Amino acid sequence: MSESTASPGCSEALSIALDLGEKMVQCGAEINRVENTIERICAAYGYKKVDCFSITSLIIATVRPENAEPVTQVRRIYNYTTNLNRLEKLNSLSRSVCSELPDLKTVRNRINAVFEEKRAVHPSVLLGYMLSAAAFAVFFGGTLFDALATVPISAVQFTLDTLIKRKGVNRILFTVIPSAISGVMAIGFTRLVPFLNQDKIIIGCIMPLIPGLQLTNSLREMFCGDTMSGFIRLLEALMISVAIALGFAVPLIIFGGLRG
C-alpha cells in the first residue's frame, strides 16, 4: 500500500485521529464513541470515507481518499483503566479539533499535554472511598464499629490500587494484592477486637473494588451492537471479580476461615 498516492495529509490526519482514539480507549471510553471520534476527525480534515473497527486492545482504521489508494493504520493497546477526568478533556479536544481544524502538530501536542499533566489524588476521593466501604459494611448488617474498622483498611486498599493503576501493570493479576492485604488486616482487627464482625468488614472492603462501571459499560456496548468489545469487557470484569475473591480467600484459608 503506497501512501505517496494518497491525498496530502491523509496519513497524518489518520494518525492524529488514532492517537486520540487510542488515548480515549486507555481512559475507558465506550467503543462506539471512540470509532465515532476517529471518523469525525478524519471527516473534518476532508476524508469522509472512513472505516473504523475498535475493541479494547486494538484499533484498525482505513481512510479512502478520492483518486488515491486507501490508507490503513493499526494501533495496539496494551492496557487501559478508567479516568473520567482525562476522558472529558479528550472529548473536549475532539470537539474543538472538528470545529477549529488546528494544524496536526498542535493537536498532537494538546493530546500529549493531557497525559503529561500530573494530577495528585484529591483527598475527597480517598474520603469517598473510605466512606463507601464503611457504608457498605453497615448496609450488609455490620455495626458502627465494623464500619470504623473498614476505614484504615480501605485507605491502604485505595493507596495500593492507585499505585497499581499508575504503574500500568496487569490489573487482573495485581488486584489480588490489595485484596489479600485487606483480608489480612480484617482478620487482624477481629483478632484484636473480638466483638467485630469479620464478614461484615470484609464485605465492606470488597465492594469498592468491584468493577461495576466496567460491567455496566460491557452490557451497554453489547446492547449497542459492539458485541465483541462488550464481551471482552465483561470477561475482564468477571476475571477481576475472581481475583478479588481469591485475594480475600487466601488469608482466610491461611488464618483459619471466616468468623462472624
Side-chain angles (χ1 to χ4, degrees):
M1 184 179 299
S2 173
E3 293 186 6
S4 60
T5 58
S7 300
C10 176
S11 179
E12 292 80 2
L14 180 57
S15 178
I16 284 294
L18 284 177
D19 283 346
L20 191 51
E22 177 185 3
K23 299 301 184 184
M24 291 176 68
V25 172
Q26 290 177 347
C27 292
E30 300 162 0
I31 292 302
N32 61 348
R33 181 178 292 273
V34 173
E35 294 176 347
N36 183 260
T37 296
I38 293 172
E39 292 168 0
R40 284 178 177 272
I41 290 176
C42 290
Y45 283 99
Y47 306 101
K48 300 186 182 300
K49 296 182 179 180
V50 183
D51 297 313
C52 182
F53 172 77
S54 177
I55 55 178
T56 55
S57 58
L58 183 71
I59 303 176
I60 304 174
T62 298
V63 175
R64 305 178 186 276
E66 295 183 6
N67 305 318
E69 291 292 321
V71 175
T72 298
Q73 293 186 16
V74 179
R75 291 295 170 86
R76 178 73 169 88
I77 302 167
Y78 292 97
N79 57 73
Y80 67 94
T81 184
T82 301
N83 191 321
L84 298 181
N85 178 59
R86 283 180 174 173
L87 182 57
E88 191 277 331
K89 291 181 179 179
L90 291 172
N91 282 328
S92 298
L93 175 57
S94 67
R95 288 190 289 269
S96 67
V97 168
C98 292
S99 60
E100 301 169 9
L101 297 181
D103 64 273
L104 300 180
K105 183 178 180 181
T106 300
V107 178
R108 180 168 279 113
N109 290 337
R110 290 172 66 180
I111 293 173
N112 292 335
V114 172
F115 272 72
E116 289 171 357
E117 179 184 351
K118 302 296 182 181
R119 187 169 182 262
V121 177
H122 197 276
S124 62
V125 179
L126 174 58
L127 179 61
Y129 198 94
M130 293 187 295
L131 287 176
S132 65
F136 277 119
V138 174
F139 178 80
F140 286 101
T143 65
L144 179 60
F145 294 104
D146 297 329
L148 292 175
T150 64
V151 171
I153 300 174
S154 59
V156 173
Q157 186 174 278
F158 174 81
T159 303
L160 291 172
D161 192 47
T162 302
L163 290 175
I164 289 171
K165 287 179 181 178
R166 286 182 174 177
K167 295 295 182 182
V169 296
N170 188 296
R171 178 72 190 277
I172 298 173
L173 178 62
F174 283 89
T175 297
V176 175
I177 296 175
S179 301
I181 293 175
S182 299
V184 171
M185 293 180 67
I187 292 171
F189 281 148
T190 53
R191 296 283 174 87
L192 293 173
V193 186
F195 61 80
L196 292 177
N197 298 298
Q198 186 182 106
D199 55 337
K200 304 305 187 293
I201 296 172
I202 290 177
I203 290 173
C205 294
I206 283 177
M207 294 305 293
L209 290 173
I210 299 297
L213 180 60
Q214 187 170 337
L215 179 61
T216 302
N217 285 341
S218 70
L219 297 176
R220 184 184 186 281
E221 287 183 356
M222 285 191 282
F223 288 142
C224 291
D226 297 312
T227 308
M228 186 178 296
S229 61
F231 181 76
I232 291 172
R233 286 189 195 270
L234 176 62
L235 181 61
E236 186 172 0
L238 294 176
M239 292 177 69
I240 291 173
S241 300
V242 170
I244 294 169
L246 179 63
F248 277 95
V250 169
L252 289 176
I253 294 172
I254 294 174
F255 293 105
L258 191 66
R259 57 181 282 279

